[in-house]
């Protein structure tokens, strides 16, 4: 491994090929185990990293073979991971990154049968053997990113029926076995099912939101940055919105 010029106090100590699954995306580490979302492997890799010089792949927590689970979060003895229809396997790269159309999940078959969409909850009291305890399905194609650092509420980008692309949702985790959506926000123009019309070109879709002190900082691909007040979880409220594209 070549350490880039400018790196300080960083050295390469270990490597794992994840049992032949080298498509890791997001990594969360909890009590000596790494949980790794994947791009094409169809699941979350569990890896023992207690010896960082000799990390060992433990198991794959699978999702539906037509779905992906790129992103996840761990806190308070729980693992949350998203599931979404693998659109990149069905669309051209150009259509994936530039096209926005009203979401109709029925175009891709029956949700729960032909693909899975939503969020899974695992108990990781035994960190090597996560135990699934909850599932929140969504009416659409799934979730792309999630943010949860513990506490009652999680936040996600969700691709829901009737919208042109991913929007911001709030998830109530008061019962981890039965998480439920309790609030949502979108840029006006995204809800085609309600008769809205987008006034922009390009793909305005929530990629990821980071939340701190009831403020959500959200990146919207071509749609720029929104800052939302989420003190009322049922009614997120826009503060500023800045668009740099094109």
């Amino acid at each position: 491994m070549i350490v880039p010029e400018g790196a300080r106090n960083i050295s390469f100590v270990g490597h794992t090929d994840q049992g032949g699954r080298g498509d890791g995306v997001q990594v969360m580490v909890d009590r000596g185990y790494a949980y790794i979302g994947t791009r094409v492997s169809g699941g979350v890799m569990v890896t023992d990293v207690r010896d960082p010089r000799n990390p060992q792949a433990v198991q794959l927590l699978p999702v539906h073979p037509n779905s992906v689970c790129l992103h996840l979060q761990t806190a308070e003895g729980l693992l949350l991971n998203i599931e979404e229809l693998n659109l990149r396997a069905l669309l051209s790269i150009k259509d994936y990154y530039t096209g926005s159309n009203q979401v109709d999940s029925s175009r891709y078959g029956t949700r729960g049968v032909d693909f899975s969409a939503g969020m899974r909850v695992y108990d990781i009291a035994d960190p090597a053997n996560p135990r699934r305890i909850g599932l929140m399905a969504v009416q659409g194609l799934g979730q792309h990113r999630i943010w949860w650092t513990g506490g009652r509420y999680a936040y996600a980008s969700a691709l829901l029926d009737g919208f042109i692309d991913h929007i911001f949702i709030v998830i109530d985790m008061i019962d981890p076995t039965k998480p439920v959506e309790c609030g949502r926000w979108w840029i006006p123009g995204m809800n085609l099912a309600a008769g809205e019309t987008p006034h922009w070109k390009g793909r305005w879709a929530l990629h990821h939101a980071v939340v701190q002190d009831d403020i959500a900082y959200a990146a919207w691909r071509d749609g720029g940055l929104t800052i939302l007040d989420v003190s009322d979880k049922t009614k997120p409220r826009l503060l500023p919105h800045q668009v740099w594209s094109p």
Side-chain angles (χ1 to χ4, degrees), residues 83-85 87 103 105 108 115-117 139-143 159:
E83 293 185 59
E84 184 171 47
L85 176 68
L87 281 173
V103 175
S105 56
Y108 302 99
F115 65 93
S116 57
Q139 299 301 307
L141 299 180
Q143 297 178 15
L159 193 54

Side-chain angles (χ1 to χ4, degrees), residues 110-131:
T110 302
R111 186 175 46 252
V113 177
D114 298 301
F115 65 93
S116 57
M119 181 189 76
R120 296 190 185 208
V121 183
Y122 289 88
D123 181 328
I124 52 174
D126 178 355
N129 297 287
R131 178 174 61 90

Side-chain angles (χ1 to χ4, degrees), residues 51-168:
D51 178 0
R53 291 170 174 76
N54 187 32
Q56 297 292 318
V58 176
Q59 63 169 307
L60 178 76
L61 307 176
V63 295
H64 192 285
N66 292 329
S67 296
V68 292
C69 57
L70 289 78
H71 299 284
L72 45 86
Q73 295 277 265
T74 57
E76 299 179 353
L78 298 176
L79 162 68
L80 312 184
N81 77 267
I82 59 88
E83 293 185 59
E84 184 171 47
L85 176 68
N86 189 2
L87 281 173
R88 284 184 61 174
L90 301 174
L91 303 175
S92 70
I93 291 296
K94 179 180 179 181
D95 286 342
Y96 179 80
Y97 283 109
T98 64
S100 288
N101 298 290
Q102 182 170 348
V103 175
D104 176 7
S105 56
S106 65
R107 291 174 53 193
Y108 302 99
T110 302
R111 186 175 46 252
V113 177
D114 298 301
F115 65 93
S116 57
M119 181 189 76
R120 296 190 185 208
V121 183
Y122 289 88
D123 181 328
I124 52 174
D126 178 355
N129 297 287
R131 178 174 61 90
R132 199 180 89 177
I133 60 171
L135 173 67
M136 187 190 88
V138 298
Q139 299 301 307
L141 299 180
Q143 297 178 15
H144 183 64
R145 295 275 187 133
I146 188 165
W147 180 263
W148 184 62
T149 56
R152 178 168 175 175
Y153 298 100
Y155 307 87
S157 54
L159 193 54
L160 306 178
D161 285 338
F163 290 87
I164 62 172
D165 225 310
H166 296 85
I167 69 168
F168 178 82

Side-chain angles (χ1 to χ4, degrees), residues 212-223:
Q212 177 71 31
D213 297 330
D214 285 333
I215 300 295
Y217 304 88
W220 292 80
R221 298 186 185 268
D222 296 335

Side-chain angles (χ1 to χ4, degrees), residues 30-65:
D30 191 297
R31 288 169 298 157
Y33 284 80
Y35 304 94
I36 306 169
T38 61
R39 171 71 260 176
V40 297
S41 290
V44 174
M45 281 299 307
V46 181
T47 300
D48 184 344
V49 293
R50 289 175 296 177
D51 178 0
R53 291 170 174 76
N54 187 32
Q56 297 292 318
V58 176
Q59 63 169 307
L60 178 76
L61 307 176
V63 295
H64 192 285

